[in-house]
């Protein structure tokens, strides 16, 4: 029944969801507590393959002097409008 109903949905039906997803990704803060983010490059081929609605790639470093060691993390968020755009992506989705 769901598959039958799915045929009648258009991209416009999903537009509000994709708009909210883009806004949420754009709202990810650059500074979180003692962590500060810097933009990381995004491979052009990945953008062509995935056709993302929104993509975020950052590296965060902890500047808390109590942490003692150099602590870093990477954050990558890719939100695609069409799941079919993930076909061919590695690692497998």
């Amino acid at each position: 029944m769901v598959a039958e109903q799915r045929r009648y949905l258009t991209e416009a039906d999903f537009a509000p969801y994709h708009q909210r997803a883009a806004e949420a990704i754009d709202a990810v803060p650059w500074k979180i507590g003692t962590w500060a983010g810097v933009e990381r490059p995004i491979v052009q081929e990945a953008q062509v393959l995935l056709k993302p609605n929104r993509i975020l790639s950052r590296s965060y470093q902890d500047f808390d002097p109590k942490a003692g060691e150099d602590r870093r993390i990477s954050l990558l968020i890719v939100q695609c409008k069409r799941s079919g755009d993930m076909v061919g992506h590695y690692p497998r989705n």
Side-chain angles (χ1 to χ4, degrees), residues 7 13-14 21 29-30 34 38 64 66 70 73 77 88:
R7 282 191 264 165
D13 294 314
F14 298 102
W30 288 90
T34 58
V38 294
D64 184 355
K66 298 175 194 165
D70 186 25
I73 61 166
I77 302 173

Side-chain angles (χ1 to χ4, degrees), residues 7-21:
R7 282 191 264 165
Y8 301 109
L9 297 175
T10 66
E11 285 202 30
D13 294 314
F14 298 102
Y17 167 79
H18 292 300
Q19 179 63 35
R20 288 191 312 273

Side-chain angles (χ1 to χ4, degrees), residues 2-73:
V2 171
E4 178 65 24
Q5 293 300 317
R6 173 71 172 93
R7 282 191 264 165
Y8 301 109
L9 297 175
T10 66
E11 285 202 30
D13 294 314
F14 298 102
Y17 167 79
H18 292 300
Q19 179 63 35
R20 288 191 312 273
E23 289 169 0
I25 292 168
D26 290 343
V28 172
W30 288 90
K31 186 164 175 32
I32 305 169
T34 58
W35 293 83
V38 294
E39 191 169 347
R40 294 191 49 138
I42 302 164
V43 178
Q44 183 64 32
E45 291 82 4
Q47 293 183 51
V48 170
L49 174 69
L50 298 173
K51 301 177 197 88
N53 175 46
R54 192 63 93 238
I55 189 166
L56 176 148
S57 180
R58 290 189 193 152
S59 176
Y60 285 85
Q61 181 176 357
D62 188 0
F63 287 97
D64 184 355
K66 298 175 194 165
E69 59 189 63
D70 186 25
R71 297 190 326 161
R72 297 173 190 261
I73 61 166

